Amino acid sequence: MKQGLEKKKLKEELSKKILNYFKKNKFNFTDLDLLIDTSLLTERSGEQFKKFTLTYKDLFGKEISLRPDLTVSTALKYIQEKKNKEEKYCYYGSAYRLDKDGDLKVFDQIGCEIINSNNNKSENILINSILEPLKKIKNLEVILGDVGLFKILIESLELPARWKLRLVKNFSRREYFEDMLKRLETNYDLDQQAIKLDTKRLKDLEKLDQSSLIGGRAVSEIIKRFNKKIKDPRDDYKGKRNVKIIRDFLNINTSIKKAESIISSFFSKNKLSNLSIKNYLKKISAIDKDIGKKYSINFKTNFGRNTDYYTGVVFLAYVKRNSKIIELARGGEYNGLLRTLGYKKDIPAIGGAINLNELINL
């Protein structure tokens, strides 16, 4: 009992201290709604949030959800208040998520978000703001990644548009993504027997009501995909080569200081033509210049795939205790999330949150 009260007091003191630091850095404190209209999540973003969101019906039969994520709640607040300029938010509260076994997990978080900024150093400001309260923790380590680099890589490969779209779209679905690579590597989609089977399926689908649904997709949409697949073949010898390039790219793990040169060299070595890669990598170097000397930062191209809505820079701060990784903070860019939730267009946004429970346990 006494220990519980001490933890509660410590949490209050610590959260107050961190919030004051955020406020000094011109982040405005905001109270976020605990409950969210489920339709705001599911009708606009499909299954993206539904899989881990706790929902129930109110007295009027309306489906309500406990907020699964404070970044999502902040984005919804920005939309509901009809903002159209830069906002710097900070917050403190709990997020409620279901794990893969259906058990409820509660996360006490304190964090900040920068939405719709024209400042090209927003990433540096946000990451530094989240890491600063943790800087005195012994053996603190940081992993940095950028899921936007994967999209640039895929665009530079000699692949049909449908394969590029599928690889980017399913980057966060690790098992399915791996299955796709195996199919690409073995030229499954060029197998004559498979093509015959696809052609037969197409003819069967054309006989159905085009507006009817199969697996949540309209028959017309499935037919369009089949047609694209049949009419957009690729050269069989490139499948294995492309998969090797993708796997090699996702194995890059280096210090942030070397990230720009290593990735640039990777593109050159594999004769991948993409004019935007050098400009894109400048933000990684800018982060290194601003905060690289303060922390031990590793850059991993395979990092950041566990959250569907991340679009660019992602980061994680952690410590190791008895061979166990303790996550203290994480965050990233989500430039497409607000449009997914109902905003009129894509706008730049980045956020991060500190896990108060783990921080106090240290």
Side-chain angles (χ1 to χ4, degrees):
M1 181 75 173
K2 184 180 178 182
Q3 189 178 12
L5 290 173
E6 287 176 351
K7 268 194 173 184
K8 184 179 179 181
K9 185 179 178 182
L10 178 59
K11 185 184 290 185
E12 289 173 353
E13 290 174 353
L14 193 56
S15 60
K16 186 177 180 180
K17 185 177 179 181
I18 296 172
L19 281 175
N20 283 336
Y21 167 74
F22 289 159
K23 289 173 185 177
K24 284 179 183 178
N25 283 277
K26 299 181 180 178
F27 286 90
N28 300 310
F29 179 78
T30 183
D31 280 316
L32 299 171
D33 292 336
L34 178 63
L35 301 175
I36 296 173
D37 181 346
T38 305
S39 66
L40 291 174
L41 297 177
T42 57
E43 288 179 11
R44 291 169 179 160
S45 57
E47 299 297 315
Q48 187 170 326
F49 300 109
K50 191 175 181 180
K51 58 188 176 185
F52 55 73
T53 302
L54 180 63
T55 63
Y56 63 93
K57 289 185 178 179
D58 64 15
L59 295 173
F60 302 99
K62 186 177 183 180
E63 200 170 66
I64 301 295
S65 299
L66 284 172
R67 61 190 180 204
D69 184 291
L70 295 181
T71 291
V72 172
S73 294
T74 309
L76 285 171
K77 187 179 185 72
Y78 186 92
I79 295 168
Q80 289 163 355
E81 293 183 349
K82 299 181 179 179
K83 302 284 187 179
N84 57 18
K85 295 181 180 178
E86 178 189 281
E87 288 292 335
K88 294 175 71 176
Y89 296 106
C90 63
Y91 51 75
Y92 166 47
S94 299
Y96 305 83
R97 293 193 185 194
L98 299 174
D99 64 17
K100 61 182 180 180
D101 297 318
D103 296 323
L104 179 64
K105 302 293 181 183
V106 181
F107 304 89
D108 290 327
Q109 297 179 331
I110 186 164
C112 50
E113 317 279 331
I114 303 176
I115 299 177
N116 208 6
S117 174
N118 292 320
N119 187 338
N120 60 9
K121 286 199 172 184
S122 291
E123 301 95 347
N124 310 34
I125 295 168
L126 190 286
I127 295 170
N128 190 57
S129 296
I130 292 293
L131 296 182
E132 188 72 16
L134 310 175
K135 69 178 181 180
K136 292 183 180 179
I137 294 174
K138 190 177 179 181
N139 298 322
L140 180 73
E141 294 186 56
V142 180
I143 298 175
L144 193 78
D146 192 324
V147 295
L149 281 171
F150 179 74
K151 185 175 180 180
I152 292 176
L153 173 78
I154 297 302
E155 286 300 324
S156 69
L157 297 176
E158 292 184 69
L159 282 172
R162 61 184 173 83
W163 266 101
K164 290 181 179 181
L165 182 65
R166 290 170 67 195
L167 287 167
V168 171
K169 184 179 179 182
N170 295 291
F171 187 49
S172 62
R173 301 173 62 190
R174 288 178 179 264
E175 289 184 15
Y176 185 68
F177 181 83
E178 183 58 34
D179 181 59
M180 287 177 61
L181 289 186
K182 288 176 182 176
R183 293 171 67 186
L184 184 60
E185 188 174 36
T186 57
N187 298 311
Y188 167 85
D189 61 326
L190 294 176
D191 181 83
Q192 291 303 310
Q193 192 62 36
I195 292 171
K196 284 180 182 178
L197 186 60
D198 284 346
T199 303
K200 183 180 182 302
R201 287 174 179 167
L202 178 60
K203 289 178 179 177
D204 291 339
L205 286 167
E206 287 173 341
K207 297 174 185 177
L208 300 176
D209 177 0
Q210 302 295 290
S211 62
S212 60
L213 299 178
I214 298 177
R217 289 186 303 163
V219 169
S220 59
E221 181 188 343
I222 300 171
I223 288 174
K224 186 178 178 181
R225 182 185 165 195
F226 268 116
N227 274 320
K228 198 171 187 180
K229 181 176 180 181
I230 292 168
K231 293 176 183 177
D232 187 18
R234 61 183 172 82
D235 297 329
D236 58 352
Y237 71 90
K238 290 174 184 170
K240 191 172 287 188
R241 176 180 179 271
N242 284 326
V243 170
K244 184 181 186 308
I245 289 172
I246 292 170
R247 292 193 193 284
D248 288 347
F249 177 79
L250 294 178
N251 281 329
I252 293 174
N253 182 359
T254 183
S255 70
I256 189 174
K257 295 186 183 304
K258 297 178 180 178
E260 183 179 9
S261 62
I262 285 177
I263 293 170
S264 292
S265 297
F266 180 88
F267 271 73
S268 298
K269 177 186 172 184
N270 288 284
K271 298 178 181 178
L272 303 176
S273 176
N274 196 299
L275 300 175
S276 65
I277 188 65
K278 289 187 177 180
N279 283 332
Y280 195 91
L281 287 170
K282 285 180 181 177
K283 65 177 179 177
I284 306 300
S285 295
I287 292 171
D288 177 42
K289 186 178 179 181
D290 281 1
I291 65 176
K293 292 179 181 178
K294 300 180 187 178
Y295 308 98
S296 171
I297 305 177
N298 245 40
F299 189 90
K300 296 176 69 174
T301 50
N302 200 23
F303 176 67
R305 297 170 61 185
N306 56 323
T307 303
D308 291 351
Y309 58 71
Y310 285 150
T311 57
V313 169
V314 284
F315 65 93
L316 166 71
Y318 69 97
V319 291
K320 287 181 181 177
R321 294 289 187 270
N322 301 320
S323 300
K324 182 182 177 183
I325 291 178
I326 300 172
E327 295 190 5
L328 297 177
R330 66 163 58 236
E333 285 183 282
Y334 49 95
N335 298 342
L337 177 61
L338 277 91
R339 188 172 187 175
T340 297
L341 294 172
Y343 198 68
K344 56 191 174 184
K345 61 180 180 178
D346 287 339
I347 54 174
I350 184 169
I354 295 168
N355 188 330
L356 272 176
N357 295 336
E358 295 291 4
L359 185 59
I360 288 167
N361 287 336
L362 285 178

